[in-house]
Amino acid sequence: MDYLERCIKESMRLYPPVPVIARQLYAPLKTPNMLVPAGCSIFINVFEQHRIPEYFPNPLEFNPDRFLEKFKHPYAYVPFSTGPRNCIGQKVAMMSQKILIAKILKRYVVGSTVKPKNLRLAQNIVLENEGGVILTLKQRCDKDSSRESELSMGTESSMDKGSSTDDSL
C-alpha cells in the first residue's frame, strides 16, 4: 500500500484536485520582490507550484519514488492546501482512494484512451479534462482473482433474483 500511496501522491502532484488556492491577507506579506499589503487577495497556483524543477526534478515525469524522501521545502507539495485552512478530510480522502483503487486494480488492468500530452485541462473549482477521460478496464484473468470475483460478485442467478448487494468493488 505504500507504493500505491506514492502513486496517488504523484498523480495529485501532476494533476492537483484543486489547482488554485485563494487566500486573503490579514497581515502584510513581504516577498523578495515586493510588499503585499494586508487585505489583498492572493492566488497560489498549485498546478504550477508542483512543477517547479528546483523541488521536483524532471517535473513532468511520473515518478512515485520522489515521495520516498522529504521535500526541500515544507510547502512544495500542497494538493490539499496547507496551514490552518487545509483540507480536514485529507486523511480520509487518501484512505478512501487507496481502498477503492486497490480493489479496482485487483480485478482490472486500467488504461486510458487519452495520453497525458493530449489532455485539455480546465482549471475550474477542481482540475478536470474537457470532455472527461475515457478509461479502459480489462478484467484480470489469473485464477485467484477470478475465483474471488465470482465469490464477491455473486452468480448471475443471484443477481436475477434481485440481490441488492453491491460489494463487488
Side-chain angles (χ1 to χ4, degrees):
M1 285 293 213
D2 289 339
Y3 184 70
L4 178 58
E5 182 171 331
R6 292 196 316 269
C7 287
I8 292 169
K9 286 180 175 181
E10 180 67 348
S11 296
M12 288 194 304
R13 182 191 69 80
L14 287 168
Y15 307 104
V18 180
V20 177
I21 301 169
R23 293 289 183 264
Q24 178 147 2
L25 294 178
Y26 294 105
L29 174 68
K30 184 167 174 54
T31 72
N33 301 326
M34 67 175 64
L35 178 65
V36 184
C40 287
S41 295
I42 61 168
F43 296 89
I44 302 161
N45 188 337
V46 177
F47 186 86
E48 291 298 325
Q49 179 177 324
H50 287 175
R51 287 168 163 70
I52 297 173
E54 179 183 347
Y55 302 117
F56 303 101
N58 302 312
L60 298 179
E61 176 185 310
F62 185 84
N63 179 10
D65 290 340
R66 71 176 82 236
F67 287 90
L68 289 171
E69 298 175 16
K70 221 173 178 162
F71 293 121
K72 293 178 184 176
H73 194 284
Y75 300 119
Y77 176 74
V78 291
F80 293 105
S81 188
T82 191
R85 300 226 14 216
N86 72 336
C87 176
I88 60 171
Q90 65 184 318
K91 288 185 181 183
V92 172
M94 182 59 76
M95 286 175 45
S96 299
Q97 287 179 80
K98 287 187 338 187
I99 291 167
L100 182 62
I101 292 169
K103 285 187 165 213
I104 291 170
L105 292 178
K106 184 175 182 180
R107 294 186 178 101
Y108 300 98
V109 175
V110 180
S112 174
T113 60
V114 181
K115 300 288 182 212
K117 67 180 180 178
N118 295 331
L119 290 172
R120 294 183 330 226
L121 299 175
Q123 291 189 14
N124 297 316
I125 292 173
V126 295
L127 186 67
E128 57 191 13
N129 186 53
E130 291 177 5
V133 176
I134 298 172
L135 297 177
T136 59
L137 298 176
K138 181 179 175 188
Q139 190 159 13
R140 294 187 185 274
C141 296
D142 64 274
K143 188 177 177 179
D144 294 335
S145 189
S146 297
R147 177 75 180 128
E148 287 179 27
S149 291
E150 289 173 19
L151 293 174
S152 65
M153 292 177 152
T155 61
E156 284 185 28
S157 59
S158 68
M159 296 297 208
D160 292 340
K161 293 178 186 174
S163 171
S164 62
T165 58
D166 187 24
D167 30 58
S168 60
L169 288 179

